[in-house]
Amino acid sequence: AMAATEAPQQKRAMCTRCERPQSVCLCAELPPQLLATRTRVFVLQHPVEKKHSKKNTVFLLPKVLANVEVAVGRHPSAFSPTAQAVLASGSALLLYPGHAAVEPETAKARFAPDEPINVFVLDGTWYQTDRLLRFNRPAFEHAVQIAFSDPGPSEYVIRKEIPNGLSTCEAVARLLDAFEPAPGAGGAVLRPFRRLVSVQLSYGQLSRTRYHMAKQKKRNQQPEERATEEQQQQSAHNTQLSLLLS
């Protein structure tokens, strides 16, 4: 017979610094103190993306960098007054791909060597960030749009996103490599990020990720390519069937 009551599950002990369960703590990969950088990063995170705490990477940035502000909302008014003033000043960059976007190295030339570089980043899925930008065009109209012409492969394999896209954490690390006078800040951001990905993969995320990537690959195929692949699969099936019946 089953017991009438069961002992309540104990909550996992959490690390107060990295805000992860102590069994998968990331603190060993965090710098001993926050890094002061020339680059100031302002992240506008879509509220729905905020709910993906287990797979979102933005939470790592304030644990590595001193000059970062993360605002959760659908409008730049979620930012602090200081960030809003920077955005309206015309001295800000916006990390988002588009026809008008320039390479970060090109945008860097707009700033004096001792001048801070202010970068605004939209965090969320492509659909969410597209809506953030589309509905807030007037607020971002004075910002110079920047993007990576060749982002390269992402290490963020635990989420089903466009294969040639970078996670927010990876994108910020790339910006730091481009903007900072001394090397090291980008790598400091990537160390806890890579540990996060490694931990998630160890808990069985890889198989689901490969499944979603296969679905994405099929959606990206041209109709004739998809038809040829389906014909090949059907031919192989018919061959196997004929062997069984012979």
Side-chain angles (χ1 to χ4, degrees):
M2 293 183 64
T5 59
E6 295 181 357
Q9 284 188 335
Q10 291 186 347
K11 291 184 178 180
R12 290 185 293 179
M14 302 293 289
C15 173
T16 56
R17 184 184 180 199
C18 71
E19 300 177 7
R20 307 293 291 180
Q22 289 183 358
S23 58
V24 290
C25 178
L26 305 176
C27 290
E29 307 302 331
L30 297 177
Q33 59 185 13
L34 297 179
L35 303 180
T37 57
R38 174 193 184 189
T39 309
R40 299 196 297 180
V41 181
F42 304 92
V43 181
L44 181 60
Q45 185 177 51
H46 194 282
V48 176
E49 181 66 11
K50 173 68 174 177
K51 297 178 182 179
H52 293 291
S53 58
K54 291 183 179 179
K55 296 181 182 179
N56 186 270
T57 65
V58 165
F59 82 96
L60 292 170
L61 297 178
K63 303 183 187 308
V64 178
L65 305 173
N67 296 327
V68 61
E69 177 181 332
V70 179
V72 180
R74 290 181 169 85
H75 188 272
S77 60
F79 282 119
S80 67
T82 299
Q84 293 182 53
V86 169
L87 184 58
S89 68
S91 63
L93 305 177
L94 173 65
L95 179 63
Y96 201 83
H99 296 299
V102 299
E103 287 283 344
E105 289 79 3
T106 302
K108 180 181 178 180
R110 297 169 53 93
F111 299 87
D114 58 347
E115 186 180 3
I117 299 178
N118 304 300
V119 185
F120 285 78
V121 181
L122 305 179
D123 179 61
T125 64
W126 283 114
Y127 174 76
Q128 291 165 357
T129 56
D130 177 72
R131 290 174 71 86
L132 285 176
L133 182 58
R134 186 181 305 178
F135 295 140
N136 295 298
R137 276 289 183 186
F140 290 109
E141 65 179 348
H142 298 299
V144 175
Q145 200 164 328
I146 60 174
F148 306 108
S149 59
D150 181 18
S154 171
E155 298 179 46
Y156 196 38
V157 296
I158 60 175
R159 288 194 65 176
K160 49 174 185 177
E161 264 296 342
I162 298 175
N164 63 347
L166 297 177
S167 69
T168 301
C169 206
E170 290 174 297
V172 170
R174 286 277 300 271
L175 288 176
L176 293 172
D177 287 340
F179 292 154
E180 290 304 302
V189 169
L190 289 178
R191 279 191 287 274
F193 162 79
R194 286 169 176 154
R195 172 62 179 161
L196 174 69
V197 172
S198 175
V199 167
Q200 292 291 347
L201 291 181
S202 70
Y203 279 84
Q205 292 290 337
L206 185 57
S207 59
R208 287 197 291 273
T209 300
R210 285 176 173 167
Y211 168 74
H212 289 303
M213 289 179 69
K215 286 182 65 178
Q216 182 68 47
K217 178 181 177 182
K218 192 158 189 173
R219 283 196 293 268
N220 291 340
Q221 283 181 323
Q222 296 297 324
E224 57 270 19
E225 294 176 339
R226 191 159 53 244
T228 300
E229 184 177 294
E230 291 172 354
Q231 289 172 1
Q232 291 173 344
Q233 292 174 349
Q234 184 62 44
S235 176
H237 173 75
N238 291 339
T239 301
Q240 291 177 348
L241 185 60
S242 63
L243 290 174
L244 289 172
L245 297 176
S246 60

